[in-house]
Amino acid sequence: MRAVVQRVSSASVVVDGKVTGKIDKGLLVLVGIGREDDERDVEWLVDKTINLRIFEDENDKMNLSLIDVSGSLLAISQFTVMGDARKGRRPSFTDAAEPEVARGLFNDFLQMASKTVRVETGIFQAHMDVELVNSGPVTILLDSKRVF
């Protein structure tokens, strides 16, 4: 599993003109699920995301997690995060999981994260408009296979 984690002061997602998820201070996480991913990847990504120390403490050091700041999580399933653009100009998505598998693992991600923090989301496989105010800006890339 891969994630693009963005620290936000606000973020929202709109599907067919309706807001399906909205947060204030927290993290916007674009989640990509690969063919080789399983429950262990979900557990790793949830733990890493909610405990990632990218919020400032009283000394302006990035030392606090989403949990520490009582922030929220807006999770968006995005298969394009699994895109491979190393060759040519058109990304390949062959490493992305099939939709049925990805939906299950993404729902597991949502359920697991919601045990600890408030979670909002879009609609799986829908065309979504995502809006955010990236605070910092701070953007971190995560990969459960630790390829980067």
Side-chain angles (χ1 to χ4, degrees):
M1 290 180 81
R2 289 186 185 158
V4 177
V5 179
Q6 296 180 298
R7 185 179 74 183
V8 300
S9 51
S10 64
S12 63
V13 58
V14 174
V15 178
D16 293 329
K18 296 179 185 170
V19 175
T20 62
K22 184 176 181 175
I23 64 169
D24 290 319
K25 183 177 187 176
L27 298 175
L28 168 65
V29 182
L30 306 175
V31 179
I33 299 164
R35 290 189 180 280
E36 306 287 321
D37 293 336
D38 60 24
E39 200 63 35
R40 290 176 301 225
D41 297 284
V42 174
E43 291 170 6
W44 183 89
L45 190 59
V46 168
D47 181 65
K48 186 63 114 176
T49 300
I50 65 176
N51 289 295
L52 196 59
R53 295 176 4 185
I54 59 173
F55 292 90
E56 278 106 4
D57 63 14
E58 65 278 354
N59 298 313
D60 292 328
K61 298 254 187 219
M62 286 199 298
N63 200 28
L64 301 175
S65 71
L66 185 65
I67 297 168
D68 296 329
V69 299
S70 300
S72 300
L73 176 72
L74 177 58
I76 306 295
S77 176
Q78 188 173 359
F79 81 95
T80 60
V81 171
M82 297 305 297
D84 183 350
R86 291 177 290 180
K87 291 172 35 179
R89 293 196 172 116
R90 182 177 177 189
S92 168
F93 301 105
T94 58
D95 289 339
E98 292 298 320
E100 302 77 32
V101 173
R103 182 188 308 270
L105 290 174
F106 183 68
N107 286 337
D108 291 346
F109 177 89
L110 297 173
Q111 288 178 331
M112 192 175 297
S114 68
K115 292 178 182 176
T116 309
V117 296
R118 180 176 154 260
V119 175
E120 296 278 322
T121 190
I123 297 177
F124 191 87
Q125 284 190 299
H127 181 275
M128 296 176 266
D129 292 319
V130 180
E131 190 172 279
L132 71 140
V133 177
N134 190 322
S135 177
V138 175
T139 301
I140 305 291
L141 304 176
L142 300 176
D143 188 295
S144 64
K145 306 293 190 223
R146 292 137 179 112
V147 295
F148 52 80

